Amino acid sequence: MRIGKQDQPFTAISTADEHTITIRGKDLCADLIGRMGFVDYYFFLLTGHVATPRQSLFIDAALVTLAEHGLTPTVQAARMTYDVDPAAMQAAVAAGILGAGTVVMGTSELCGRFLEDIVQTGSRSGRSLESVAREKLVQRKAAGLTVPGYGHPLHAGGDPRTRRLLELAAQHDVAGPYLDALTIVERLIPGIYQRELPINASGSIPAVLLQVGFPVGALKGIPILARTAGLLAHLHEEAQRPIGFLMCHHAEQAIAYDGPRRQGPAAAD
């Protein structure tokens, strides 16, 4: 049964025959292997364009920024899944990546789309970014929504990753409406939400990437690709120094049962 419309049944990414593998019009063996680094190859796969030096630099910086952040829920899920079936590393990686949602990891995309909305609305209407940002924040507050890309439970005083990324942007003359919108929103938040919420890494990353021409629709792939590398490191360590079942044990100790007590004769034993 056919579902939906597939009026253009084509792919522009790759094709292969007996002798060659073609990727976006380039020969994999002759043009890419040993000639293009993985970060540039990733951008080339996404867009069909060769990354500029600035695009390459900031995509690489974003991936390094997000690859690792300790024993996060995604890491714990991956380690515990690995311990259940060490032969299925792919399942453990998948268990961790499935946690890329609206609270953890997926916020880079949400913040990027929020910034894109501010910038594009301002461009279409001729209004200032500050006016548009204020309106959007008031709307989010009234709807009971948080602001993706701002605030962090650990880095409450400011995310050190954001400081470094914005320093890097300044060093390489990366500036423009997306970075302007990022800082304007941070400045406006206390007056609307009655609390300070500093820019976190999931805010600075999309702002910088959008500013250098990274596609907004591919932003969620950045934390997914980055955390895959981090999860593989954790799983390699788990195989040698397992802690997954220990984490499970501590969870059982930390969380008390408060459900109904047993009833009847068995309860008196």
Side-chain angles (χ1 to χ4, degrees), residues 12-213:
I13 296 176
S14 69
T15 187
D17 57 31
E18 183 180 357
H19 303 291
T20 62
I21 302 168
T22 301
I23 310 292
R24 295 281 193 184
K26 292 185 181 292
D27 185 288
L28 175 64
C29 298
D31 302 326
L32 299 172
I33 297 176
R35 298 179 184 276
M36 182 179 283
F38 184 73
V39 168
D40 290 346
Y41 186 47
Y42 170 52
F43 186 77
F44 182 64
L45 284 170
L46 280 176
T47 66
H49 301 292
V50 175
T52 67
R54 286 204 305 184
Q55 286 172 331
S56 181
L57 172 68
F58 284 100
I59 294 169
D60 186 74
L63 293 170
V64 172
T65 298
L66 289 179
E68 178 54 35
H69 201 265
L71 292 172
T72 61
T74 56
V75 168
Q76 293 183 43
R79 282 186 178 253
M80 292 183 194
T81 302
Y82 179 83
D83 288 345
V84 172
D85 187 0
M89 181 180 285
Q90 73 278 10
V93 173
I97 294 302
L98 287 172
T102 58
V103 176
V104 178
M105 292 167 60
T107 48
S108 291
E109 179 197 27
L110 296 177
C111 181
R113 292 192 182 278
F114 181 54
L115 297 176
E116 175 83 356
D117 185 25
I118 293 171
V119 170
Q120 293 305 318
T121 299
S123 177
R124 289 192 304 268
S125 65
R127 296 165 56 195
S128 69
L129 290 177
E130 180 158 349
S131 171
V132 175
R134 184 183 301 278
E135 177 183 81
K136 301 290 184 183
L137 285 170
V138 168
Q139 290 172 352
R140 293 189 71 86
K141 177 68 163 55
L145 299 174
T146 60
V147 188
Y150 297 83
H152 195 283
L154 178 61
H155 307 301
D159 193 326
R161 300 168 297 177
T162 287
R163 286 195 293 271
R164 177 57 185 147
L165 286 170
L166 296 184
E167 286 172 359
L168 202 59
Q171 290 170 11
H172 291 271
D173 299 319
V174 174
Y178 294 103
L179 284 166
D180 292 343
L182 179 76
T183 55
I184 287 170
V185 168
E186 181 185 44
R187 178 163 50 80
L188 292 175
I189 282 175
I192 297 170
Y193 279 79
Q194 287 75 56
R195 56 183 299 200
E196 291 189 1
L197 294 172
I199 303 163
N200 62 39
S202 292
S204 52
I205 282 173
V208 172
L209 290 182
L210 290 173
Q211 200 61 64
V212 299

